[in-house]
Amino acid sequence: MSSYVNPQYLVSTDWLAANINQPDLRIVDATFYLPMQNKNARAEYDERHIPGAVFFDIDEIADTESTLPHMLPSPEKFASRVRRLGIGDGNRIVVYDGTGMMSAARVWWMFRIFGAKEVAVLDGGLPKWLSEGRPVDDNQPTPRERHFSARLDNTQVRSKAQMLSNITSQREQALDARASGRFNATEPELWPGRRSGHIPNAKNLPYTQLLKPDQTFHDADTLKAKFEAAGIDMKKPVVTSCGSGITACVLALGLSLIGHRDVAVYDGSWAEWGLPGDTPVAS
């Protein structure tokens, strides 16, 4: 079993427990649920979270003017929101979620594309932390505002126009993180009003295939084998997508762990592409 090329993107529960009181460390609860899941991430955070963690609201730290769900906010909005969470330049950031490994990767990606240098995801998330009997509390931190310099790195995000032109150029390999039934249009699409199917020429790798039963990532050799089995050439650029830009980031994190340098996320994902209109759909 080989180790990751970029192990700094992932920390273990053991590491977090040993470093939880470090003054430069910021812990972020990025739990998120889709509307159709009928669960309340904020209420779960208020009830219990890893001590010292602040809550990152994916639907609010977003472009709330957009008709699409949780699209990237402006750098100015991102900076102002994370400053209020007490996160600033020079902090080490560890992100987790209540599912184990789903939305934490989205917030990892957001911090990275807005310029944070040291940000990692907690491998296995809150479920693993709880299964090991580690502490949680319901205290509401009152963070001191810090300065966060946000600059958007456009090389790591793709628009609908770029995805449309990529169908012809095929410069980048499109990789969809949704379940195969949604990808192949054999099961109903979860987002209301969207067509079923996938972006033409896209490959499919459900994000859950990167994870072990305890929601931790597989080792590097296994990850590489999964991407290659999905038809991905590891020497060529990859752009990931999913239902609404959340689990696409799990694939982006998996690729980054094994050293893929040219990975972007299609922010609008199927919530945008699947709308009736000018986008071709394959099934």
Side-chain angles (χ1 to χ4, degrees):
M1 293 197 312
S2 70
S3 51
Y4 305 131
V5 176
N6 290 309
Q8 73 275 21
Y9 297 152
L10 213 53
V11 297
S12 67
T13 48
D14 284 343
W15 184 93
L16 183 57
N19 290 275
I20 199 164
N21 294 318
Q22 294 292 329
D24 64 336
L25 187 70
R26 298 292 180 269
I27 305 169
V28 176
D29 185 321
T31 304
F32 165 84
Y33 298 110
L34 294 165
M36 52 291 279
Q37 288 177 282
N38 293 317
K39 293 174 87 173
N40 187 322
R42 176 77 209 209
E44 287 185 13
Y45 166 83
D46 289 341
E47 199 175 295
R48 65 175 185 193
H49 49 260
I50 293 175
V54 292
F55 183 72
F56 187 108
D57 187 337
I58 284 175
D59 277 331
E60 199 284 320
I61 305 177
D63 177 4
T64 47
E65 303 294 302
S66 174
T67 55
L68 297 168
H70 43 254
M71 293 288 281
L72 280 172
S74 67
E76 295 76 18
K77 180 172 182 180
F78 187 83
S80 87
R81 293 301 189 270
V82 301
R83 276 206 305 265
R84 285 184 212 165
L85 296 177
I87 300 167
D89 299 338
N91 281 141
R92 288 186 298 165
I93 305 161
V94 172
V95 190
Y96 73 88
D97 68 51
T99 306
M101 187 63 66
M102 190 189 86
S103 50
R106 167 75 183 191
V107 173
W108 166 84
W109 176 74
M110 289 176 74
F111 270 109
R112 278 177 51 76
I113 68 166
F114 283 118
K117 296 286 184 280
E118 291 189 80
V119 53
V121 172
L122 180 64
D123 205 14
L126 187 62
K128 189 167 192 290
W129 184 266
L130 292 170
S131 75
E132 294 163 351
R134 301 188 191 273
V136 287
D137 64 34
D138 59 359
N139 297 338
Q140 295 292 331
T142 48
R144 218 175 73 234
E145 278 204 27
R146 292 177 59 102
H147 180 73
F148 187 95
S149 312
R151 290 179 199 82
L152 177 62
D153 177 1
N154 282 309
T155 66
Q156 295 187 64
V157 59
R158 295 290 175 271
S159 66
K160 183 175 88 170
Q162 288 170 311
M163 298 303 289
L164 276 166
S165 68
N166 190 62
I167 292 174
T168 310
S169 71
Q170 294 198 45
R171 194 191 81 76
E172 296 182 309
Q173 304 167 95
L175 184 62
D176 192 320
R178 292 176 301 155
S180 57
R182 290 169 69 194
F183 180 85
N184 293 315
T186 56
E187 290 170 12
E189 176 47 44
L190 292 177
W191 284 96
R194 272 65 173 184
R195 295 165 290 168
S196 295
H198 59 265
I199 297 170
N201 306 322
K203 307 278 197 278
N204 182 218
L205 179 58
Y207 80 96
T208 50
Q209 291 190 19
L210 304 190
L211 308 173
K212 300 180 206 165
D214 67 354
Q215 296 294 294
T216 59
F217 272 98
H218 283 295
D219 65 87
D221 286 341
T222 306
L223 289 182
K224 188 166 183 284
K226 299 265 188 193
F227 285 111
E228 287 174 345
I232 293 300
D233 180 342
M234 297 300 289
K235 295 183 184 71
K236 292 183 180 168
V238 180
V239 56
T240 65
S241 70
C242 59
S244 63
I246 300 283
T247 59
C249 299
V250 179
L251 296 185
L253 175 54
L255 285 161
S256 300
L257 284 170
I258 57 175
H260 201 300
R261 288 195 186 88
D262 201 344
V263 185
V265 172
Y266 170 28
D267 195 23
S269 281
W270 202 254
E272 179 175 46
W273 194 274
L275 287 166
D278 59 352
T279 48
V281 168
S283 53

